[in-house]
């Protein structure tokens, strides 16, 4: 049991923290206000190797471990949750499945530019009728010689408007239900791929979310990830990793709520003293700080297990469940400690609140995490 | 970052788990029912080197270290929480003597404690000094031959079975100066008072102590004059890792009973574990216990490395004991009526764990420690 960070982990923590403080934080309010995609930040993050942190260098990544990834995600999220989710989707949901399930040719063609941050990825799993029940895919892929013909609609796809590449899930054999799902790597410029409705969201507003429509899209068979019917496995395996990223994002948001509230409570005077002198406020701060530390340890444990190629579904779900609900509790308390100032946009507390909420929903709602955890407990 | 236990820690886990399941758990209901001090369990702990885990073999200890200690205590408490708290306080007393004692004090008491010849006790709390421990009023008057203690202590765990008790007393009233003394049973003027009837951990003896013209030699002072509060706070930092582990052990047992029950118990035509209402409870409980365990291991790791760990120990204790209480409540609810009857151990787990948010610093005191560290 060793809780020290490695030298590499400390380095990326310093780098990410410094970058987040200097470059990201000053822009976060404006990005949110204007729902503006932070193109320049993504470019800078690519230069730092943040778009493919755990991808080996030979495939364009930074060649670091998943604990490094969680650390960097937390730091970027501390400054701007929107910027962080763009990074997370590229790392966990686009690069990781191609690294794990793609052929060498596909890795060269699609992974290298994404991991190096020259191109951006998205993950097409959710459909209007397939949210938590991801197995009920309606998008179809029908074999046609060396191609598949894809038809269908995906919605709520993070990064879709800017993405060059999509890891897409389709139904190739309806009779087999979730065992008939197949995953492909799609070039977003292909004929028949178009963007649908651009969502307006409560939070993470600088991250773009839209639907993607596929009409008679011809996908080369070589772009398949794994075999026919492997798609559900690809999706679940990918999400096990993605949940580590979202857990880390949630911790970053929780920290933002906490650190801002702590600073405010030291400054704000009422009844003749700084409000942090009151136990009412101290209790909230102590509880948030404790929960954040607990959430981070759960998250690093899951990342550490992933690095060792241990099965980590339950641990990823625990990390994501606990961290996201901690972020929400921290955000509620953060607003409360600010009082009226927490409710107005002059202070970032209300943005943290809006940003925190999504972490309990995407990449598996809290309810889905509890299903995963309970299944693991009751199986034994 | 490495979440693996070492081979030695794994061995401790396996050994103590076996001992606890085979010998402690089967007797736990009886120990509780009869409010009987588990002397035999205490001896077994000694035989396996579990009563002196935090000091070296020179003094009879096993020096297994804080992480192994946390694991061992968790496993013992999982079988019998009363045995667990006796072990916790004995280890804490021994560690304080090792850290602050003279060689002659170490040589006299440590081999005795690790061999299980009596337990160790730690007498800080008084009727008027609970969370406000610094407000104690037991007084130690110095004269040419030593010190004369006057005052009373309450809620002292192991008090009736201790071969040595660390007693905190004022040695100066203005400015207030607290010092620590090592007091042995049988010292004239030292008497053991009423034994408390408690909600849980009923096998653990909890007594009041009274000191009336109790004369102790100068050589019985632990540390220097005025170091008493420092010794107490340092012992409690370590003690909190122990109580946090105790809570995790109790709660894990409750959760394990609830999980097995959920698989077996059928209602509405299926195992109740098939209902999301039950699944949700189990998932939340397991997640919180894992989080608690991580916080405890982190604090123990920092302690093992000789780094500051006071805030982290408070976080571990606060989180583990509060989560543990929630988990035991949940577990009882999963068992329904069967959770409320003594045929199952869960009602005992709930009674046992209730004290963990109170002793060795209430949750409120933990939050004070944490927020002071945060607010600077």
């Amino acid at each position: 049991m060793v809780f020290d960070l490695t030298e590499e982990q400390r380095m990326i923590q310093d780098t990410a923290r410094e970058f987040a403080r200097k470059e990201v934080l000053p822009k976060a309010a404006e990005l949110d206000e204007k729902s503006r995609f932070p193109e320049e930040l993504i470019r800078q993050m690519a230069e730092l190797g943040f778009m493919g942190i755990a991808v080996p260098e030979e495939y364009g990544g930074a060649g670091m471990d998943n604990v490094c990834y969680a650390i960097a995600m937390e730091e970027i999220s501390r400054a701007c949750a929107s910027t962080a989710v763009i990074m997370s989707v590229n790392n966990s949901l686009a690069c990781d499945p191609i690294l794990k399930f793609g052929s060498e040719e596909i890795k060269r063609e699609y992974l290298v530019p994404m991991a190096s941050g020259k191109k951006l990825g998205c993950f097409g799993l959710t459909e209007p009728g397939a949210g938590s029940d991801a197995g009920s895919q309606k998008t179809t892929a029908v074999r046609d010689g060396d191609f598949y013909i894809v038809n269908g609609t995906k919605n709520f796809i993070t990064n879709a408007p800017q993405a060059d590449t999509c890891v897409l899930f389709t139904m190739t054999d309806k009779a087999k239900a979730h065992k008939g799902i197949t995953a492909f790597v799609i070039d977003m410029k292909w004929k028949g791929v178009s963007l649908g409705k651009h969502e307006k969201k409560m939070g993470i507003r600088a991250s773009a979310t839209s639907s993607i429509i596929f009409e008679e899209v011809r996908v080369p068979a070589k772009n398949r990830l794994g075999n026919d019917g492997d798609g559900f496995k690809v999706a679940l395996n990918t999400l096990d990793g993605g949940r580590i990223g979202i857990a880390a994002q949630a911790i970053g948001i929780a920290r933002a709520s906490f650190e801002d509230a702590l600073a405010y409570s030291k400054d704000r005077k009422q009844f003749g003293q700084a409000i942090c002198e009151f136990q009412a406020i101290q209790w909230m701060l102590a509880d948030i700080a404790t929960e954040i530390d607990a959430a981070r340890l759960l998250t690093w444990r899951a990342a550490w297990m992933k690095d060792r190629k241990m099965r980590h579904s339950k641990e990823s779900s625990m990390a994501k469940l606990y961290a996201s609900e901690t972020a929400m509790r921290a955000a509620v308390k953060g607003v409360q400690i600010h009082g009226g100032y927490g409710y107005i946009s002059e202070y970032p507390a209300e943005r943290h609140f809006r940003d925190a909420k999504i972490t309990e929903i995407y990449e598996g709602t809290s309810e889905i995490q509890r299903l995963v955890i309970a299944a693991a407990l009751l199986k034994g | 970052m490495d979440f693996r236990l070492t081979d030695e820690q794994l061995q401790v886990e396996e050994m103590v788990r076996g001992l606890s399941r085979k010998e402690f758990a089967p007797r736990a209901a009886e120990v509780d029912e009869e409010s009987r001090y588990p002397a035999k369990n205490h001896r077994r702990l000694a035989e396996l080197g579990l009563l002196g885990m935090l000091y070296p073999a020179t003094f009879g200890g096993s020096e297994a270290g804080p992480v192994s200690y946390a694991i061992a205590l968790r496993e013992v408490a999982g079988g019998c929480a009363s045995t667990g708290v006796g072990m916790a306080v004995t280890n804490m007393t021994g560690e304080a003597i090792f850290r602050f004692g003279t060689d002659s004090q170490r040589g006299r008491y440590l081999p005795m404690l690790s061999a299980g010849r009596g337990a160790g006790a730690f007498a800080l709390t008084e009727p008027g000094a609970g969370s406000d421990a610094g407000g104690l009023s037991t007084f130690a008057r110095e004269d040419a031959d030593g010190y004369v203690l006057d005052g009373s202590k309450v809620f002292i765990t192991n008090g009736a079975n201790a071969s040595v008790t660390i007693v905190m007393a004022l040695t100066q009233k203005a400015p207030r100066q607290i010092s620590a003394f090592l007091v042995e049973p049988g010292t004239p003027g030292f008497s053991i008072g009423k034994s408390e009837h408690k909600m849980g951990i009923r096998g653990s003896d909890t007594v009041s102590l009274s000191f009336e013209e109790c004369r102790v030699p100068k050589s019985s002072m632990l540390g220097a004059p005025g170091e008493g509060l420092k010794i107490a706070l340092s012992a409690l930092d370590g003690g909190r890792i122990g109580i946090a582990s105790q809570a995790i052990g109790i709660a894990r047992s409750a959760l394990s009973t609830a999980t097995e029950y959920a698989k077996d118990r059928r209602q509405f035509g299926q195992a109740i574990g098939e209902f999301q209402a039950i699944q949700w409870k189990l998932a939340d409980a397991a997640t919180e216990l894992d989080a608690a365990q991580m916080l405890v291991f982190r604090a123990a790791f920092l302690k093992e490395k000789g780094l500051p760990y006071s805030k982290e120990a408070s976080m571990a204790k606060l989180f583990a004991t509060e989560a543990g209480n929630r988990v035991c409540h949940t577990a009882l609810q999963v068992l329904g009526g069967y959770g409320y009857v003594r045929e199952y151990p869960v009602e005992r787990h709930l009674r046992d764990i209730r004290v963990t948010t109170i002793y060795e610093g209430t949750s409120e005191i933990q939050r004070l420690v944490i927020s002071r560290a945060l607010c600077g």
Side-chain angles (χ1 to χ4, degrees):
Chain A
M1 196 67 56
V2 176
F3 288 88
D4 295 320
L5 296 181
T6 64
E7 202 173 317
E8 185 177 76
Q9 289 160 354
R10 262 201 311 275
M11 252 172 52
I12 195 165
Q13 189 174 49
D14 289 344
T15 307
R17 189 170 290 174
E18 194 59 16
F19 171 73
R21 192 176 60 82
K22 274 202 190 137
E23 307 291 335
V24 185
L25 188 60
K27 293 183 174 163
E30 176 231 322
L31 292 172
D32 172 66
E33 181 70 27
K34 298 186 181 154
S35 296
R36 178 174 75 77
F37 186 82
E39 208 184 325
E40 74 282 15
L41 295 177
I42 301 303
R43 256 201 316 275
Q44 287 172 281
M45 280 166 32
E47 280 162 28
L48 292 168
F50 288 1
M51 298 309 279
I53 291 176
V55 175
E57 288 174 69
E58 57 168 319
Y59 294 118
M64 290 189 257
D65 62 24
N66 283 285
V67 175
C68 287
Y69 169 54
I71 289 171
M73 269 301 296
E74 176 184 331
E75 295 303 328
I76 302 299
S77 308
R78 160 64 186 93
C80 173
S82 297
T83 304
V85 70
I86 298 163
M87 167 183 162
S88 173
V89 166
N90 196 73
N91 273 273
S92 290
L93 302 190
C95 289
D96 200 46
I98 298 178
L99 176 65
K100 213 168 284 164
F101 299 99
S103 66
E104 188 59 29
E105 187 188 348
I106 289 294
K107 285 184 203 171
R108 295 278 159 218
E109 191 175 346
Y110 294 97
L111 177 56
V112 172
M114 274 199 299
S116 56
K118 291 185 184 71
K119 291 194 168 175
L120 190 69
C122 69
F123 184 75
L125 175 65
T126 299
E127 297 183 1
S132 287
D133 183 10
S136 64
Q137 298 282 312
K138 290 248 167 18
T139 297
T140 55
V142 178
R143 185 88 191 206
D144 179 19
D146 287 340
F147 289 84
Y148 286 80
I149 311 297
V150 172
N151 280 289
T153 300
K154 296 288 172 180
N155 73 341
F156 294 162
I157 307 304
T158 304
N159 288 356
Q162 292 82 17
D164 304 285
T165 305
C166 176
V167 172
L168 177 72
F169 295 85
T170 65
M171 190 61 90
T172 43
D173 189 346
K174 211 171 201 162
K176 289 188 180 157
H178 68 273
K179 285 186 177 154
I181 295 172
T182 304
F184 296 94
V185 180
I186 304 281
D187 187 324
M188 292 289 283
K189 288 197 190 68
W190 282 344
K191 191 163 172 280
V193 181
S194 61
L195 294 177
K197 181 170 156 226
H198 196 114
E199 304 292 348
K200 290 183 187 165
K201 304 188 298 297
M202 174 184 182
I204 53 161
R205 298 173 59 170
S207 148
T209 310
S210 76
S211 56
I212 313 176
I213 298 147
F214 300 87
E215 288 170 296
E216 299 291 314
V217 180
R218 285 175 68 77
V219 181
K222 70 177 170 74
N223 279 40
R224 198 179 58 199
L225 291 178
N227 293 314
D228 272 349
D230 281 351
F232 203 61
K233 188 179 85 185
V234 173
L236 293 188
N237 195 296
T238 301
L239 287 169
D240 280 348
R243 283 162 189 167
I244 295 170
I246 301 306
Q249 185 199 24
I251 295 164
I253 299 170
R255 245 183 66 204
S257 294
F258 168 73
E259 289 172 8
D260 290 346
L262 177 64
Y264 181 86
S265 74
K266 286 183 184 178
D267 212 38
R268 171 75 171 170
K269 286 200 162 57
Q270 288 290 279
F271 303 103
Q273 60 183 2
I275 61 169
C276 73
E277 302 288 323
F278 293 105
Q279 292 192 338
I281 303 297
Q282 289 171 354
W283 265 218
M284 288 197 249
L285 293 171
D287 284 342
I288 304 172
T290 302
E291 291 182 26
I292 289 173
D293 277 15
R296 184 183 296 112
L297 291 171
L298 285 177
T299 304
W300 286 357
R301 177 180 68 164
W304 177 85
M305 289 173 78
K306 180 167 160 68
D307 283 328
R308 264 149 206 78
K309 310 213 180 317
M310 296 160 75
R311 195 162 158 71
H312 61 96
S313 301
K314 183 183 80 171
E315 288 76 10
S316 280
S317 284
M318 283 181 164
K320 203 257 179 190
L321 170 64
Y322 192 76
S324 61
E325 299 205 339
T326 291
M328 201 62 239
R329 284 191 293 270
V332 170
K333 286 174 180 154
V335 169
Q336 191 67 20
I337 289 170
H338 282 79
Y341 295 96
Y343 200 70
I344 59 174
S345 307
E346 188 187 333
Y347 284 82
E350 63 87 25
R351 170 164 53 86
H352 303 325
F353 182 104
R354 290 185 287 107
D355 287 345
K357 185 60 216 173
I358 189 60
T359 64
E360 295 180 318
I361 298 172
Y362 60 16
E363 300 202 25
T365 59
S366 287
E367 290 65 38
I368 288 298
Q369 309 311 326
R370 289 189 174 94
L371 268 191
V372 172
I373 298 162
L377 295 174
L378 290 161
K379 194 180 60 193
Chain B
M1 196 60 56
D2 190 340
F3 288 90
R4 260 173 312 194
L5 296 179
T6 62
D7 287 344
E8 193 192 315
Q9 289 157 357
L10 286 169
Q11 276 167 18
V12 167
E13 182 174 58
E14 198 189 328
M15 171 187 84
V16 184
R17 186 174 291 169
L19 166 78
S20 189
R21 283 188 184 163
K22 249 187 256 149
E23 301 185 31
F24 299 167
R27 291 201 285 264
E30 183 194 317
V31 162
D32 172 67
E33 185 71 29
E34 297 173 5
S35 294
R36 179 166 62 73
Y37 179 75
K40 190 171 164 197
N41 292 352
H42 194 72
R43 278 197 303 278
R44 288 293 286 143
L45 291 175
E47 283 163 21
L48 293 168
L50 300 172
L51 292 177
M53 296 185 75
L54 303 168
Y55 50 86
T58 342
F59 298 106
S62 57
E63 206 173 20
V67 175
S68 286
Y69 171 61
I71 292 168
L73 191 46
R74 179 192 76 204
E75 294 302 326
V76 170
C80 174
S82 295
T83 305
V85 68
M87 169 181 165
V89 176
T90 299
N91 271 283
M92 177 172 84
T93 304
E95 189 188 16
I97 294 173
F98 174 70
R99 286 197 54 201
F100 298 101
T102 61
D103 268 343
S104 120
Q105 289 169 336
R106 290 162 155 188
R108 177 170 177 79
Y109 297 112
L110 297 182
M112 199 156 77
L113 289 175
S114 58
R117 290 196 298 277
F122 182 82
L124 173 63
T125 300
E126 297 185 0
S131 287
D132 182 12
L136 56 81
S137 63
T138 295
F139 190 70
R141 172 170 49 85
E142 188 175 8
D143 67 14
D145 300 326
Y147 290 88
V148 180
L149 300 176
D150 273 291
S152 56
K153 298 284 178 183
V154 285
F155 298 158
I156 307 305
T157 302
N158 287 350
N161 291 282
S163 48
V164 59
T165 300
I166 300 177
V167 180
M168 301 295 166
L170 280 173
T171 39
Q172 194 178 289
K173 284 181 180 164
R176 288 171 69 81
Q177 185 188 71
I178 295 170
S179 303
F181 297 90
L182 298 170
V183 182
E184 297 180 25
T187 306
F190 170 34
S191 59
I192 290 160
K194 123 173 175 231
S195 178
E196 305 289 349
H197 291 278
K198 303 187 299 296
M199 174 182 182
I201 52 161
R202 297 174 58 165
S204 156
D205 76 277
T206 309
V207 295
S208 59
L209 306 177
S210 85
F211 302 90
E212 288 171 81
E213 289 285 309
C214 173
R215 177 170 289 282
V216 294
K218 283 215 160 73
S219 63
S220 71
M221 184 179 282
L222 180 64
E227 277 195 332
L229 208 56
K230 184 182 95 183
I231 293 172
L233 293 183
S234 138
L236 286 171
D237 279 346
R240 283 161 190 168
I241 295 175
I243 301 308
S245 297
Q246 186 198 23
I248 294 174
I250 298 169
R252 275 196 183 186
S253 286
L255 177 60
S256 143
T257 304
T259 306
E260 290 311 308
Y261 185 88
K263 288 193 230 174
D264 285 347
R265 172 74 171 170
R266 298 180 71 83
Q267 289 289 279
F268 303 103
Q270 61 182 6
I272 61 169
E274 301 287 319
F275 292 106
Q276 293 191 338
I278 303 298
Q279 290 172 356
W280 265 218
K281 292 184 206 295
L282 299 177
D284 284 342
T287 301
E288 289 194 50
L289 286 186
D290 272 20
Q293 181 67 85
M294 295 289 114
L295 287 174
V296 171
F297 280 154
R298 178 181 64 165
F301 164 81
L302 291 172
K303 184 181 180 205
E304 200 152 307
K305 295 217 5 173
L307 295 166
Y309 70 100
S310 183
K311 180 184 78 171
E312 289 77 7
S314 283
M315 284 181 164
K317 201 231 174 213
L318 170 64
F319 191 94
T321 61
E322 294 284 343
N325 269 274
R326 285 192 292 274
V327 169
C328 288
H329 260 283
T330 296
L332 194 149
Q333 191 69 20
V334 169
L335 272 78
Y338 293 96
Y340 199 70
V341 297
R342 295 203 174 182
E343 185 188 337
Y344 283 87
V346 180
E347 64 84 26
R348 170 166 52 82
H349 295 321
L350 180 58
R351 289 186 289 106
D352 285 344
I353 205 164
R354 186 62 191 86
V355 73
T356 62
T357 61
I358 299 171
Y359 62 17
E360 302 207 15
T362 60
S363 288
E364 290 65 36
I365 290 298
Q366 309 312 325
R367 290 188 178 96
L368 264 191
V369 172
I370 298 162
S371 61
R372 272 179 196 155
L374 297 172
C375 300

